[in-house]
Amino acid sequence: MSLTGKQRRALRAIGHHLKPVVQVGQDDVTEGVIAAVDEQLVAHELIKVKIGEGASGERDEIGELLAEKTKSELVQVLGRTLLLYRPHPEKPKIQI
């Protein structure tokens, strides 16, 4: 799945008001974090992930790793916040 610039812009607009639902801590990306992100993507399709101050990895690397492991798309990295998108396999809520 690859998003166009227009689709990314639309998703960023939708995600602007969202609150982070998962936080990456000092252990960086663990199986628990991947499972939590996957679960939230199924429920919401578009989520924010907060990278905690104790995380040792680079934010871009963490975002790409999470996107790869959850088969989602990294829409935006802004500060210490990631915006991830993955359409629901059966009933997509967000039309882009």
Side-chain angles (χ1 to χ4, degrees):
M1 162 179 59
S2 184
L3 298 173
T4 65
K6 201 171 199 177
Q7 290 171 324
R8 284 182 190 281
R9 194 168 39 251
L11 289 170
R12 285 196 311 262
I14 294 167
H16 178 74
H17 300 289
L18 297 177
K19 302 279 187 227
V21 293
V22 177
Q23 181 164 345
V24 177
Q26 65 186 18
D27 295 332
D28 288 337
V29 180
T30 62
E31 291 301 319
V33 170
I34 293 169
V37 168
D38 197 48
E39 181 180 307
Q40 292 299 319
L41 283 168
V42 169
H44 302 289
E45 294 184 322
L46 184 67
I47 65 167
K48 278 188 178 177
V49 177
K50 185 75 173 172
I51 301 173
E53 292 295 325
S56 60
E58 289 291 321
R59 58 194 183 138
D60 292 326
E61 292 172 4
I62 292 172
E64 297 209 9
L65 181 61
L66 276 174
E68 178 187 327
K69 295 285 186 180
T70 59
K71 296 177 180 56
S72 61
E73 188 74 30
L74 180 61
V75 177
Q76 183 180 34
V77 177
L78 187 62
R80 300 192 68 79
T81 305
L82 310 173
L83 188 63
L84 294 171
Y85 171 72
R86 183 178 72 199
H88 192 276
E90 297 161 9
K91 301 176 189 170
K93 298 174 196 170
I94 299 173
Q95 302 297 323
I96 56 170

